[in-house]
Amino acid sequence: MMSKVSWDSGGINPVAESPGDRRVAVVESDIYRSLQTVLRELDNNTSATCHSKGMLRWTLHKKVQNNPLHCVLLIKILVRELEKAGRSNCKTYLVPLLHTLIYTIIQSAYIPSELLQRAYETCRRLLTLPHPYCTISLTYTRHLKTEMTTPGALFQKKVLAEQSLQNVSFPFQEKVFVFADPAVIPDHLAACVGADVELEGTAQSQQDHMCAVVQHTLQAALGEACEAVWLEQALRDLSCNVKPYFHQVVATLAEHVGRPSSELKTYHTTLQQIYSDILATAQQVPDPCIPCRSCTLPNPVMTFRVWRTEGELWSAVEKLICVNPTEQNSSSQGLDVKGLLTPCFSTPSQSNLSRDSGIERDITVARPTDPPLRLQQQVLLTQQEMKRHEQERKPFMSDETEEVLERSTRSTRNPGLLKIKTGISNLLPKEEHPFTARIIVMGDDRSMGRLAKAYYFLRQREAKHPRLTGKVNIEFYYIPVGKEFAPASVAQENDLAANSYTTLASYLGKVDPWYHCNIISLGYMIPKMAKMQPNSRKVMESDFFLRDVIAYYTRTGVQPVHFLIYSVKISFSDPAKESVADVFFCHLNMDVPQVKFLDLTGDSFKNKKNLVEMYGTVVSVNCKKVSVSSREEDVRLLLKTCSVSVSVIPPKEKEDLGCLTVSFDDAGSLMESSIRTCGIKIRTLEEKTFTVSLDKDSRRTFTQVQSIEISPCLDPGYALEKVESKSKSKFNPRHGQEEKEKWSNSKDPVQWLTLPLNTFTGISC
């Protein structure tokens, strides 16, 4: 008999009175056992079992997504388990249960209103918990409220955005970009991984997606009154004529979103009329013997690339908005004689720019045949363009968000409050842009260092000439892949975490057990699947495992962990060589190549004086040491060392993420000493020089280094604003004094540049 998770006091013991009820009870019991098995994976974090994690969660979703009854049963079980977990205060299982619940609800064709109401009340009761549980519960409470008032809304919005279906009611578009680091995934493996991600030849057409939207929305709204088999066959008979009904369904939902539940009857009546029109227009009588194809949620459009140059990443995002189908213009939509929405799309965005002075008199001369209404539209369009360009010149963070964060962090200078910044930013509503680019990096710590550098240069460019930030929400995801991902013993696991290229993945797995189960397991599976022969991979390709996991990650992993990006100034021993400014994300290593490696077991170990003279070089260290009480203490010291390791990843998951851990191989004490600090200056006082490596990447190595200076990287947007403020102060002394006071606190976390990596849980406060 399978054991239950720690907080579960009872199992499924339904009372079945008929054969049908007994069959339902058997199915419910089977789904319950599968869910319990998935949850038990959270309690087993040994690397020996990590290669199989994630398969059980994927199998559970596959088991229920093609059967409406199974979806309803799983939702009932999940609501019951959430209630148990909430009462027992067992937070470990809350996040997996919440994500599984919402993912099942999105894909369910029909959910009874009583069950949706119960799920909504359960999520509401979890709002009293600390972050991130209250944040996730709040998001899903809003989703459930939307689904209660307008059934089918969650599914419809996902398909419209992810498949870029043209419509005038919901103009948002999303795309997934997967970038593989060739230093981790060789070309011969990258080709196989790319085939699994993109799966050419299996993509559905836009017509199929429109049919799925119509069918799912009508089933969700009408429930048992909708004959799914007949509706599916009728949509198939309509062929290219399904587009008018698609626009009707989308417009009906958009009209009722946000309205009170009392108007649900109107929503239901409108969709009932559309449903009747579709059946009446069908060319053939529906055949009840033909099975109904399920309208499951299709995977988003994914693009796979081998990331060879940093510019490839941003050029792909730019292509999303530049080589995009014509943007939708909601102001130009119209109605035909039947009352159906006729989508009217504007010309590309560059043609919307007015090239005249904006004065009506000038426009009249230029276009004497335009009616007065056309003139007003041209003037209004010019004003809107001027406002848009003015908004794009503002910093990346909105004024309201900046003010809230500034008030919450100005009372302290400790970078450990990065957690508070993360919590507040998650609770504030995000600015919606028409495009969302979800960037997934497959690699290791070196790959994330490259991403941080590319992100920094993007912010620099956007601060001066905004192009992407005003139109695209850019979200980052990380799938660790590396040689270290291989079955190992428990004794070897600690060595891997300390010395491998996957320390970032190890940290994320500790703070987010659901990430450990579903994403880190891909580090074991991707190289294994890529090495399979094509005939051996047919079964895996038919089930779309890798695409399904990536889709699940991008849809439910929306809790960002903000990692500080650190800037480093590198000075060389050659005075003629200019200093270099760079950034790093995870690690910085300093080594003395001139060191004489000694045999500590021989006579040299006994003579400590000789050891100190031969081992390492003398360096001066200036930093502010951060104590356990978050107080800073100025530290100036001299020591002899042969290597220095600077890590952004804290050694323990409970420690603050906004501090550096600097470790010295101190020859004088024959042991390693470490300091927790916000920034540090290290300079060699001898002729020996250092070799500096950023993020353990051989492609980013500097030799003949004499000194380094490390500090949190300032956001280029705020840096540019500071420069502009200084120029204004020359003409306004009072303005200069105000700006001097504003920028006096240079360690304000709001000004620091962070790279947000999306996970399922985030970081608990």
Side-chain angles (χ1 to χ4, degrees):
M1 180 180 296
M2 289 187 174
S3 59
K4 305 180 181 65
V5 292
S6 57
W7 47 269
D8 187 14
S9 59
I12 302 291
N13 187 23
V15 178
E17 299 180 354
S18 65
D21 292 337
R22 284 195 292 269
R23 285 193 296 269
V24 172
V26 170
V27 173
E28 184 175 358
S29 179
D30 178 63
I31 295 175
Y32 174 78
R33 287 194 299 269
S34 299
L35 178 63
Q36 294 291 309
T37 306
V38 172
L39 295 178
R40 277 197 299 273
E41 286 188 323
L42 298 168
D43 301 324
N44 190 359
N45 292 326
T46 61
S47 59
T49 61
C50 206
H51 62 279
S52 62
K53 287 189 174 183
M55 290 291 294
L56 294 176
R57 194 277 314 163
W58 176 75
T59 304
L60 176 62
H61 282 293
K62 283 293 181 181
K63 183 183 297 184
V64 303
Q65 72 175 8
N66 294 325
N67 192 312
L69 175 61
H70 292 181
C71 287
V72 173
L73 293 177
L74 178 57
I75 294 173
K76 289 174 57 178
I77 295 172
L78 289 168
V79 172
R80 184 165 55 242
E81 301 308 300
L82 276 171
E83 293 172 347
K84 292 180 183 178
R87 289 194 300 266
S88 60
N89 199 27
C90 186
K91 299 183 178 66
T92 306
Y93 307 102
L94 285 177
V95 171
L97 289 172
L98 284 169
H99 288 321
T100 307
L101 173 66
I102 201 66
Y103 206 64
T104 307
I105 288 176
I106 292 175
Q107 301 191 77
S108 298
Y110 169 67
I111 306 172
S113 57
E114 299 82 3
L115 185 57
L116 266 180
Q117 180 67 32
R118 185 180 172 187
Y120 171 76
E121 295 296 337
T122 302
C123 290
R124 280 192 60 185
R125 285 192 288 268
L126 299 177
L127 296 179
T128 57
L129 298 177
H131 174 78
Y133 310 104
C134 64
T135 306
I136 300 174
S137 300
L138 178 61
T139 302
Y140 289 165
T141 300
R142 292 170 175 169
H143 288 347
L144 289 172
K145 187 68 174 178
T146 302
E147 192 69 15
M148 290 167 58
T149 55
T150 51
L154 300 180
F155 180 94
Q156 184 179 125
K157 289 182 178 180
K158 282 293 179 185
V159 176
L160 293 179
E162 294 176 348
Q163 307 302 329
S164 300
L165 296 182
Q166 297 295 322
N167 67 95
V168 296
S169 303
F170 190 77
F172 300 100
Q173 298 183 23
E174 302 175 2
K175 194 168 184 180
V176 178
F177 300 91
V178 181
F179 289 89
D181 191 344
V184 181
I185 304 178
D187 290 342
H188 66 282
L189 295 182
C192 300
V193 176
D196 286 343
V197 171
E198 295 186 343
L199 285 175
E200 296 181 1
T202 60
Q204 293 177 298
S205 65
Q206 296 281 298
Q207 192 78 13
D208 295 332
H209 295 314
M210 290 183 182
C211 291
V213 167
V214 174
Q215 182 179 346
H216 186 278
T217 306
L218 294 179
Q219 284 185 250
L222 304 182
E224 297 178 354
C226 176
E227 292 290 344
V229 177
W230 290 12
L231 176 61
E232 194 273 333
Q233 294 182 39
L235 291 173
R236 191 187 309 172
D237 293 339
L238 289 175
S239 183
C240 61
N241 296 326
V242 73
K243 186 176 291 186
Y245 298 102
F246 164 76
H247 288 294
Q248 270 192 302
V249 168
V250 173
T252 301
L253 190 144
E255 181 182 357
H256 289 81
V257 165
R259 293 191 177 184
S261 56
S262 58
E263 298 188 13
L264 178 60
K265 185 177 181 180
T266 306
Y267 176 71
H268 182 277
T269 303
T270 305
L271 293 182
Q272 178 68 50
Q273 182 61 45
I274 298 175
Y275 170 71
S276 302
D277 293 343
I278 293 175
L279 295 184
T281 313
Q283 299 176 0
Q284 299 179 3
V285 178
D287 186 357
C289 298
I290 299 178
C292 176
R293 295 181 299 181
S294 60
C295 54
T296 57
L297 182 64
N299 286 327
V301 177
M302 301 182 189
T303 302
F304 180 86
R305 287 181 174 85
V306 178
W307 188 19
R308 303 190 186 278
T309 62
E310 296 174 355
E312 292 177 354
L313 193 148
W314 307 122
S315 63
V317 179
E318 289 179 346
K319 188 177 180 181
L320 175 65
I321 61 175
C322 294
V323 190
N324 189 69
T326 55
E327 297 180 3
Q328 300 158 9
N329 186 2
S330 58
S331 62
S332 61
Q333 66 183 18
L335 291 173
D336 61 12
V337 293
K338 296 182 180 180
L340 302 179
L341 276 173
T342 304
C344 300
F345 304 111
S346 66
T347 55
S349 57
Q350 58 267 27
S351 64
N352 287 337
L353 294 174
S354 176
R355 301 185 182 277
D356 49 47
S357 63
I359 305 175
E360 185 171 348
R361 173 176 50 82
D362 297 339
I363 302 175
T364 306
V365 175
R367 301 178 181 89
T369 59
D370 287 347
L373 181 60
R374 176 65 176 174
L375 302 179
Q376 296 176 8
Q377 290 177 347
Q378 290 289 337
V379 175
L380 181 61
L381 186 59
T382 304
Q383 295 174 352
Q384 291 175 350
E385 287 294 327
M386 294 175 62
K387 290 181 180 179
R388 183 178 64 82
H389 288 299
E390 189 68 25
Q391 291 175 355
E392 288 180 349
R393 294 183 58 187
K394 294 182 179 180
F396 299 97
M397 195 176 299
S398 64
D399 296 338
E400 180 181 359
T401 306
E402 178 183 353
E403 183 180 356
V404 174
L405 296 180
E406 192 170 348
R407 289 200 305 265
S408 65
T409 56
R410 191 168 295 281
S411 60
T412 181
R413 299 166 64 91
N414 179 21
L417 281 181
L418 195 64
K419 288 184 180 180
I420 297 181
K421 174 189 174 184
T422 303
I424 296 176
S425 61
N426 286 336
L427 291 175
L428 291 174
K430 295 182 180 180
E431 184 180 359
E432 288 187 320
H433 296 309
F435 303 98
T436 297
R438 307 189 189 278
I439 297 176
I440 301 176
V441 175
M442 287 185 177
D444 53 17
D445 295 345
R446 296 170 293 179
S447 311
M448 300 310 296
R450 292 183 62 204
L451 177 62
K453 185 175 181 179
Y455 183 56
Y456 172 72
F457 287 139
L458 171 72
R459 300 296 289 259
Q460 274 189 327
R461 187 187 68 180
E462 290 290 304
K464 298 178 181 179
H465 305 288
R467 178 176 176 84
L468 296 180
T469 53
K471 296 181 179 180
V472 184
N473 289 318
I474 303 177
E475 299 183 357
F476 298 99
Y477 299 81
Y478 174 43
I479 297 180
V481 181
K483 297 179 180 179
E484 292 82 6
F485 290 111
S489 62
V490 179
Q492 294 174 327
E493 189 172 358
N494 294 331
D495 295 336
L496 289 176
N499 302 318
S500 71
Y501 294 103
T502 56
T503 53
L504 175 62
S506 300
Y507 174 77
L508 291 177
K510 291 178 181 178
V511 299
D512 189 348
W514 199 231
Y515 180 90
H516 184 272
C517 288
N518 293 278
I519 304 305
I520 291 185
S521 61
L522 291 179
Y524 298 86
M525 296 181 182
I526 289 176
K528 184 178 179 181
M529 290 188 298
K531 292 179 181 179
M532 292 181 181
Q533 298 297 327
N535 55 355
S536 302
R537 296 169 60 246
K538 289 182 180 179
V539 177
M540 190 63 67
E541 284 183 5
S542 64
D543 290 331
F544 309 152
F545 173 74
L546 184 56
R547 287 175 56 87
D548 288 345
V549 175
I550 293 176
Y552 179 77
Y553 183 24
T554 56
R555 288 165 176 166
T556 59
V558 294
Q559 299 301 318
V561 178
H562 290 263
F563 289 91
L564 273 173
I565 298 176
Y566 283 86
S567 63
V568 54
K569 182 180 180 182
I570 302 175
S571 301
F572 301 94
S573 58
D574 185 0
K577 195 173 183 180
E578 295 183 358
S579 301
V580 173
D582 209 327
V583 298
F584 70 97
F585 185 67
C586 297
H587 309 279
L588 182 146
N589 293 330
M590 299 177 62
D591 296 301
V592 182
Q594 302 93 335
V595 165
K596 296 180 180 179
F597 295 96
L598 305 176
D599 183 8
L600 299 182
T601 61
D603 295 336
S604 61
F605 177 71
K606 300 177 183 179
N607 192 342
K608 187 175 181 179
K609 181 179 179 181
N610 294 338
L611 177 66
V612 175
E613 290 178 353
M614 299 176 64
Y615 192 78
T617 181
V618 178
V619 297
S620 66
V621 179
N622 295 331
C623 66
K624 286 184 177 293
K625 184 178 180 181
V626 178
S627 62
V628 179
S629 60
S630 299
R631 295 181 179 179
E632 296 181 352
E633 176 186 356
D634 290 331
V635 174
R636 294 181 176 85
L637 52 89
L638 297 177
L639 55 86
K640 198 159 193 175
T641 182
C642 70
S643 65
V644 181
S645 176
V646 182
S647 177
V648 178
I649 310 300
K652 298 179 181 179
E653 62 269 19
K654 295 298 182 182
E655 294 183 356
D656 290 333
L657 191 59
C659 294
L660 294 169
T661 302
V662 185
S663 302
F664 302 92
D665 191 353
D666 192 349
S669 61
L670 297 179
M671 62 182 296
E672 187 181 74
S673 58
S674 61
I675 297 176
R676 294 279 288 169
T677 181
C678 308
I680 191 170
K681 298 179 182 179
I682 303 175
R683 181 182 181 86
T684 178
L685 301 180
E686 299 180 355
E687 294 182 356
K688 298 176 182 178
T689 59
F690 284 99
T691 297
V692 175
S693 176
L694 303 181
D695 293 312
K696 299 182 180 180
D697 194 345
S698 60
R699 297 165 293 186
R700 304 175 63 197
T701 302
F702 304 89
T703 58
Q704 302 296 320
V705 176
Q706 186 178 36
S707 66
I708 64 169
E709 182 178 351
I710 302 174
S711 60
C713 187
L714 191 66
D715 192 316
Y718 290 99
L720 181 64
E721 184 179 347
K722 185 177 180 180
V723 172
E724 292 178 353
S725 301
K726 287 184 178 180
S727 62
K728 292 179 181 179
S729 64
K730 296 180 181 179
F731 305 98
N732 189 345
R734 182 178 179 182
H735 181 271
Q737 181 64 25
E738 294 175 354
E739 292 299 322
K740 184 177 180 181
E741 295 176 358
K742 176 180 178 181
W743 295 98
S744 59
N745 188 3
S746 61
K747 293 188 177 181
D748 192 344
V750 178
Q751 303 173 21
W752 297 338
L753 179 62
T754 62
L755 180 67
L757 292 183
N758 279 8
T759 61
F760 298 103
T761 305
I763 296 182
S764 305
C765 293

